[in-house]
Amino acid sequence: FHWPSLTFYVFAGVLGAASGLRELLGLPGEMTFSGQALVTRGTIALCGTLTLVVLFRAGQRIAGDTIGLLTAAFLAVALLHVRESHFAMTDALMTLLVWTALAFLVTAALTDSDGVRPSRRQTVLCAYAGLAAGLATSTKYNAAAVGVAIAALQLVWVWRRPSGALSWR
Protein backbone atom coordinates (compact mmCIF):
# COMPACT_ATOMS: atom_id res chain seq x y z
CA PHE A 1 0.00 0.00 0.00
CA HIS A 2 3.02 2.31 -0.09
CA TRP A 3 2.61 2.65 -3.87
CA PRO A 4 -0.84 2.73 -5.47
CA SER A 5 -1.29 0.21 -8.25
CA LEU A 6 -2.36 2.01 -11.45
CA THR A 7 1.17 2.71 -12.67
CA PHE A 8 2.09 -0.94 -12.26
CA TYR A 9 -1.00 -2.01 -14.21
CA VAL A 10 -0.18 0.46 -16.98
CA PHE A 11 3.37 -0.89 -17.13
CA ALA A 12 2.09 -4.47 -17.18
CA GLY A 13 -0.25 -3.66 -20.05
CA VAL A 14 2.40 -1.82 -22.06
CA LEU A 15 5.02 -4.53 -21.48
CA GLY A 16 2.48 -7.20 -22.41
CA ALA A 17 1.68 -5.35 -25.62
CA ALA A 18 5.39 -4.95 -26.37
CA SER A 19 5.96 -8.68 -25.80
CA GLY A 20 3.01 -9.51 -28.05
CA LEU A 21 4.43 -7.24 -30.73
CA ARG A 22 7.82 -8.95 -30.42
CA GLU A 23 6.16 -12.33 -30.92
CA LEU A 24 4.17 -11.02 -33.86
CA LEU A 25 7.37 -9.74 -35.49
CA GLY A 26 9.14 -13.02 -34.75
CA LEU A 27 11.90 -11.51 -32.63
CA PRO A 28 13.80 -14.16 -30.66
CA GLY A 29 14.11 -14.34 -26.87
CA GLU A 30 12.58 -12.40 -24.02
CA MET A 31 12.67 -8.66 -23.70
CA THR A 32 15.75 -7.60 -21.76
CA PHE A 33 15.66 -5.34 -18.73
CA SER A 34 16.98 -2.44 -20.78
CA GLY A 35 14.22 -3.04 -23.34
CA GLN A 36 11.63 -3.05 -20.58
CA ALA A 37 13.12 0.13 -19.11
CA LEU A 38 12.93 1.85 -22.49
CA VAL A 39 9.30 0.83 -22.99
CA THR A 40 8.20 1.97 -19.51
CA ARG A 41 10.21 5.20 -19.66
CA GLY A 42 8.79 5.89 -23.12
CA THR A 43 5.29 5.38 -21.77
CA ILE A 44 5.86 7.90 -18.99
CA ALA A 45 7.48 10.33 -21.45
CA LEU A 46 4.35 10.06 -23.58
CA CYS A 47 2.23 10.82 -20.50
CA GLY A 48 4.35 13.89 -19.78
CA THR A 49 3.90 15.06 -23.36
CA LEU A 50 0.15 14.43 -23.32
CA THR A 51 -0.04 16.56 -20.17
CA LEU A 52 1.07 19.53 -22.28
CA VAL A 53 -1.85 18.96 -24.65
CA VAL A 54 -4.37 18.66 -21.82
CA LEU A 55 -2.99 21.77 -20.12
CA PHE A 56 -3.09 23.71 -23.40
CA ARG A 57 -6.75 22.79 -23.91
CA ALA A 58 -7.66 23.76 -20.32
CA GLY A 59 -5.86 27.10 -20.59
CA GLN A 60 -7.44 27.70 -23.98
CA ARG A 61 -10.89 26.99 -22.55
CA ILE A 62 -10.34 29.38 -19.64
CA ALA A 63 -8.66 32.35 -21.33
CA GLY A 64 -7.98 31.72 -25.01
CA ASP A 65 -5.26 30.42 -27.31
CA THR A 66 -2.43 32.61 -26.01
CA ILE A 67 -2.92 31.60 -22.39
CA GLY A 68 -3.28 27.94 -23.36
CA LEU A 69 -0.03 28.10 -25.29
CA LEU A 70 1.76 29.89 -22.46
CA THR A 71 0.62 27.41 -19.83
CA ALA A 72 1.76 24.47 -21.95
CA ALA A 73 5.06 26.21 -22.73
CA PHE A 74 5.74 26.88 -19.05
CA LEU A 75 5.09 23.25 -18.16
CA ALA A 76 7.25 22.09 -21.08
CA VAL A 77 10.27 23.83 -19.53
CA ALA A 78 9.46 23.17 -15.87
CA LEU A 79 12.47 21.26 -14.59
CA LEU A 80 10.57 18.97 -12.26
CA HIS A 81 8.06 17.95 -14.92
CA VAL A 82 10.77 17.37 -17.52
CA ARG A 83 12.87 15.34 -15.09
CA GLU A 84 9.98 13.19 -13.86
CA SER A 85 8.72 12.61 -17.40
CA HIS A 86 11.71 10.53 -18.33
CA PHE A 87 11.80 8.21 -15.31
CA ALA A 88 9.52 5.18 -15.09
CA MET A 89 7.82 6.57 -11.99
CA THR A 90 4.33 7.68 -10.99
CA ASP A 91 4.58 11.48 -11.09
CA ALA A 92 4.08 12.20 -14.80
CA LEU A 93 1.12 9.82 -15.06
CA MET A 94 -0.44 11.37 -11.96
CA THR A 95 0.09 14.87 -13.37
CA LEU A 96 -1.59 13.88 -16.62
CA LEU A 97 -4.61 12.45 -14.79
CA VAL A 98 -4.91 15.38 -12.37
CA TRP A 99 -4.85 17.88 -15.23
CA THR A 100 -7.33 15.75 -17.14
CA ALA A 101 -9.69 15.86 -14.15
CA LEU A 102 -9.25 19.62 -13.83
CA ALA A 103 -9.78 20.15 -17.56
CA PHE A 104 -13.07 18.25 -17.40
CA LEU A 105 -14.03 20.25 -14.33
CA VAL A 106 -13.23 23.59 -15.99
CA THR A 107 -15.27 22.59 -19.03
CA ALA A 108 -18.19 21.62 -16.78
CA ALA A 109 -17.98 24.89 -14.86
CA LEU A 110 -17.92 26.99 -18.03
CA THR A 111 -20.69 25.08 -19.84
CA ASP A 112 -24.04 26.83 -19.95
CA SER A 113 -27.00 25.29 -18.17
CA ASP A 114 -30.71 26.05 -17.99
CA GLY A 115 -30.31 28.04 -14.77
CA VAL A 116 -32.26 25.57 -12.65
CA ARG A 117 -29.82 22.69 -12.38
CA PRO A 118 -26.62 21.49 -14.05
CA SER A 119 -27.15 20.23 -17.58
CA ARG A 120 -26.68 16.63 -18.59
CA ARG A 121 -23.38 17.57 -20.28
CA GLN A 122 -22.13 19.18 -17.06
CA THR A 123 -23.09 16.09 -15.11
CA VAL A 124 -21.24 13.83 -17.54
CA LEU A 125 -18.18 16.09 -17.47
CA CYS A 126 -18.17 15.96 -13.66
CA ALA A 127 -18.39 12.17 -13.83
CA TYR A 128 -15.38 12.11 -16.19
CA ALA A 129 -13.54 14.46 -13.82
CA GLY A 130 -14.29 12.09 -10.96
CA LEU A 131 -13.06 9.12 -12.98
CA ALA A 132 -9.83 10.91 -13.89
CA ALA A 133 -9.37 12.02 -10.26
CA GLY A 134 -9.89 8.46 -9.05
CA LEU A 135 -7.35 7.15 -11.54
CA ALA A 136 -4.93 9.89 -10.48
CA THR A 137 -5.38 8.86 -6.85
CA SER A 138 -4.75 5.26 -7.87
CA THR A 139 -1.47 6.49 -9.32
CA LYS A 140 -0.31 8.52 -6.34
CA TYR A 141 -2.32 9.09 -3.16
CA ASN A 142 -1.75 12.83 -2.85
CA ALA A 143 -3.72 13.33 -6.09
CA ALA A 144 -6.87 12.81 -4.02
CA ALA A 145 -6.73 16.55 -3.32
CA VAL A 146 -8.26 17.17 -6.76
CA GLY A 147 -11.46 15.71 -5.32
CA VAL A 148 -11.78 18.90 -3.26
CA ALA A 149 -12.13 20.91 -6.49
CA ILE A 150 -14.83 18.55 -7.73
CA ALA A 151 -16.74 18.82 -4.46
CA ALA A 152 -16.32 22.62 -4.49
CA LEU A 153 -17.92 22.90 -7.92
CA GLN A 154 -20.82 20.75 -6.77
CA LEU A 155 -21.27 22.98 -3.69
CA VAL A 156 -21.19 26.13 -5.82
CA TRP A 157 -23.96 24.72 -7.99
CA VAL A 158 -26.05 23.84 -4.93
CA TRP A 159 -25.42 27.27 -3.40
CA ARG A 160 -26.45 29.06 -6.62
CA ARG A 161 -29.48 26.86 -7.24
CA PRO A 162 -30.67 25.08 -4.07
CA SER A 163 -33.61 23.56 -5.96
CA GLY A 164 -31.12 21.79 -8.25
CA ALA A 165 -29.90 19.76 -5.28
CA LEU A 166 -33.11 17.76 -5.38
CA SER A 167 -32.30 16.45 -8.86
CA TRP A 168 -30.91 12.92 -9.06
CA ARG A 169 -27.93 14.34 -10.97
Side-chain angles (χ1 to χ4, degrees), residues 9 42 50 87 99 118 146:
Y9 288 128
L50 288 174
F87 292 128
W99 275 111
V146 77

Side-chain angles (χ1 to χ4, degrees), residues 109-160:
L110 297 178
T111 299
D112 293 330
S113 66
D114 62 4
V116 177
R117 61 183 171 273
S119 68
R120 177 169 168 71
R121 183 167 191 263
Q122 288 174 311
T123 304
V124 169
L125 287 167
C126 282
Y128 287 155
L131 175 65
L135 290 173
T137 304
S138 181
T139 303
K140 197 167 182 182
Y141 291 128
N142 58 358
V146 77
V148 173
I150 296 170
L153 179 61
Q154 300 292 321
L155 289 175
V156 165
W157 283 341
V158 169
W159 179 63
R160 286 185 181 166

Side-chain angles (χ1 to χ4, degrees), residues 53-131:
V53 175
V54 170
L55 187 57
F56 167 75
R57 297 290 294 160
Q60 183 184 42
R61 177 78 172 142
I62 293 170
D65 292 340
T66 304
I67 298 301
L69 191 58
L70 282 173
T71 56
F74 284 138
L75 185 63
V77 296
L79 294 177
L80 187 62
H81 182 71
V82 171
R83 185 189 75 186
E84 295 302 318
S85 291
H86 85 277
F87 292 128
M89 298 292 287
T90 60
D91 298 298
L93 180 58
M94 179 204 65
T95 304
L96 171 64
L97 292 168
V98 164
W99 275 111
T100 300
L102 291 173
F104 280 130
L105 202 58
V106 163
T107 304
L110 297 178
T111 299
D112 293 330
S113 66
D114 62 4
V116 177
R117 61 183 171 273
S119 68
R120 177 169 168 71
R121 183 167 191 263
Q122 288 174 311
T123 304
V124 169
L125 287 167
C126 282
Y128 287 155
L131 175 65

